[in-house]
Amino acid sequence: AGNFHLWRSSGAGFSPLHYPEEDLDAVVSVAADRNNDPWILARSGRIYHLSNGAWINQNKALGRKPGVIGAMADDLAGNIWFAFSNKVVEWDGSTYHTFIREARDISETTMSIRGDRVWLGGPGGVQLFTRGHFYTMQWADPEMPGRVSGLVETETGDLWMNGFSGVTHVPAADLKKWLRGPGFAVPAERFDERDGLRGLSGEKLPEPSVVEASDGRLWFATTKGIAWLNPAALAQNRNGLAPTVVISAVISSSKSYAASKKLVLPALTENLEIDYTALSLAIPERVQFRYKLDGVDSGWQSAGNRRQAYYTKLRPGAYKFHVIAANNDGVWNDAGATLNFNVSPAWFQAAWFRLLCVLSAIILLSLLYRLRVRRIAAGINARFDERLAERTRIAQELHDTLLQGFLSASMQLHVATDLLPENSPAKPTLTRALQLMGQVIEEGRNAVRGLRSSGTVSLDLAQAFAGIQEELDPKKMNAASVAYRVTVEGQKKPLRPLLRDEVYRIGREAVTNAFRHARASQIEVELRYGASQLRLLVRDNGCGIDSGILRTGQDGHWGITGMRERADRIGARIQIFSRASAGTEVELLVPGRVAFEQPPDGVLHRLRKSWRLKADVGQSPVQNERRI
């Protein structure tokens, strides 16, 4: 085919076939179907079929859209194949078969058929249509294959492509891998001017731009003529020598270092460049490199023919750099070259500095925790002081009003009783009233004494708990038959008065409950003075407490509820453990800063005490005494 002429061979010679009158321009491609009828694809995109001596435009029958040229080729069975932007159409000699695709458009400009495989090529790459399905070829090198203007699958199973970037070759073994699994990224090799190829593929014509001859040679149409390649001879002339890889220099902060075995780079190395090369004299521009830096790169980094590796902001430590290379025919030197180097740490990157920061953070958190605990304790102590002052005020008012009134009334009753004769019927009643009033006055005095005792009497908890058994009614509680014991562990420390009373009341309630309800033969009270807390434990071997009562208390009884409320008021934690026939344990834990008059002696306490003494300089003795 050519400009304005199409020639047909009949065996004895060539005879011209005239183009359709409306398309007197160049023919892009020619094919013949099984009916021996010719088909042509014109530059305009119109497709014609010569039938019964007349050219028939097939664009409408094929469903070709305006502006889409597409591609056309025939196979050995006499079928004609057409490729457009979104479909492939087959003409079997009598009927069109259309196959629609959803894969991305590659804008086909060429086709090639081998058996049941229809290859499609164009600016978007390469696709395969086979058995009703489309597959887009994926490439290991994203620059492959470029714009494809011709492709052919050879009898040996290789795939060859001609394009604007040169000739691309996919070996048969790699093509088989891709055919078995289209997700495989296909490796390929390229041939261009550096390999002796003169010129590259043209824009569109001729089509196809690569064909396979009967002797196995491949013929390529280029901008500078026709070139041929013998693949069999090419395999014999392969470069099988792996290149020698060398690391030449290391550049950091515009300073160059020799690639020595014990290279140490300065601290705060921001930008690092590692230069390397490979000795391959055949086609040095075709040498390919891969590299990785242990601890930084997760895998091999493909560098193409670039001979530098770049890294930024490396952390202090030891590193190992690896680089490997392949020659122009893809023979890799897998041993490659390595470089060990160290990046020195700055003073704030050193291990001792990090350890110091960790210790400082721990100390700071500890101080913040202590400050928080101190503030909580101060709040609780302030409430204790308020309650103690209120109790003292109530005791004073009871003493000055109610008790004094009862004493005055008692004196008047004594006078009235003395004035009555001995045989007066009212005298026994007055005498009984005087006795009741005396009991009330005594109980009132005891109550006032109890209210004021927290600030005036130093009550020993162990002694107070030891006296509980004697105060109980032995007939009602069977107290005499119970083995009762009070133990003290740790060095005793003075307790805050109001808290001491609350601890005693909680413990007394637990002890009396054990005597009254547990039917126990052994009851034990344990006081433990620890460094950071006061622990009170009351245990018995009695019948235990029902789980429902343990959770919510018993209607009309407030013992357990009262113990928990008292514990909450003083910032303590109370736990009650009980099982049927296994006894009961009541544990009260009071923080030391709340319980003890003096905080545990330590370094921080001594420093705080020294600071307070310095702050007291210049103050009056009265102020110092008040502070103490």
Side-chain angles (χ1 to χ4, degrees), residues 131-143:
R131 300 177 183 178
H133 297 282
F134 294 88
Y135 304 95
T136 300
M137 184 169 284
Q138 306 298 325
W139 303 89
D141 185 350
E143 296 183 358

Side-chain angles (χ1 to χ4, degrees), residues 156 158 160 169 171-172 189 191 216 218 228-241 327-331:
T156 57
D158 295 62
W160 291 85
H169 172 221
E189 59 181 343
F191 302 91
L218 297 173
W228 63 268
L229 173 67
N230 186 354
L234 179 66
Q236 298 175 0
N237 296 326
R238 291 284 185 181
N239 181 5
L241 182 63
N327 66 11
N328 59 300
D329 283 325
V331 179

Side-chain angles (χ1 to χ4, degrees), residues 492-540:
K492 290 185 179 181
K493 300 176 183 178
L495 303 176
R496 301 185 186 278
L498 193 59
L499 182 135
R500 175 201 59 210
D501 293 349
E502 296 291 349
V503 172
Y504 173 72
R505 288 186 174 90
I506 294 172
R508 180 183 176 86
E509 181 68 26
V511 172
T512 55
N513 284 342
F515 275 107
R516 183 178 290 113
H517 306 294
R519 300 192 297 274
S521 60
Q522 293 182 356
I523 300 175
E524 181 179 356
V525 177
E526 179 184 304
L527 277 170
R528 180 178 297 173
Y529 292 85
S532 59
Q533 67 181 6
L534 172 68
R535 180 174 182 261
L536 169 65
L537 181 64
V538 179
R539 66 166 67 95
D540 64 68

